[in-house]
Amino acid sequence: MPVLQCSAVKCMYNKDNLCSKGDIQVKGDHAATENETWCSSFVEKTGMSNAYTCGGGCSSIQVGCTAHDCTYNRQEICQADHVHIDGSQACICEETCCGTFRCE
């Protein structure tokens, strides 16, 4: 599993730039650049959303991925050693992106 670092601090699963969800899904079926990808697991924090998180953040989690042209995608699972989800100002999932994406 990749080491995950996430800068989407407005996501309810973000705990100290780690993810508390357990796994994430990166979308971008026809992506040719990282800006055409997004973390579809992103959920914006609200006053009540913190009640639904599952503990502290994990540094290694499974990353599902539909960015078929990414060099790290193997049968829709990311095989990169390190994944960075960008989106420090994101309020919706489409405002995030996979900074690790590399087009084949």
Side-chain angles (χ1 to χ4, degrees):
M1 288 189 285
V3 173
L4 180 88
Q5 187 176 27
C6 180
S7 66
V9 294
K10 294 181 182 180
C11 180
M12 71 181 241
Y13 299 115
N14 189 305
K15 302 289 184 196
D16 300 320
N17 291 326
L18 300 174
C19 185
S20 67
K21 186 175 183 301
D23 65 338
I24 64 167
Q25 183 69 37
V26 173
K27 298 285 186 177
D29 295 13
H30 305 289
T33 68
E34 66 184 56
N35 290 333
E36 296 172 323
T37 65
W38 64 95
C39 178
S40 66
S41 302
F42 176 94
V43 177
E44 185 179 20
K45 281 182 192 176
T46 64
M48 294 301 294
S49 65
N50 289 337
Y52 301 108
T53 61
C54 52
C58 297
S59 61
S60 294
I61 66 172
Q62 182 164 318
V63 178
C65 180
T66 65
H68 301 291
D69 292 331
C70 181
T71 191
Y72 301 113
N73 187 328
R74 300 289 181 274
Q75 298 177 333
E76 298 195 352
I77 301 293
C78 181
Q79 299 298 315
D81 292 334
H82 183 284
V83 172
H84 186 259
I85 301 298
D86 292 317
S88 62
Q89 299 302 312
C91 294
I92 59 173
C93 62
E94 289 84 357
E95 293 175 342
T96 65
C97 71
C98 179
T100 306
F101 175 88
R102 296 296 175 265
C103 194
E104 291 184 327

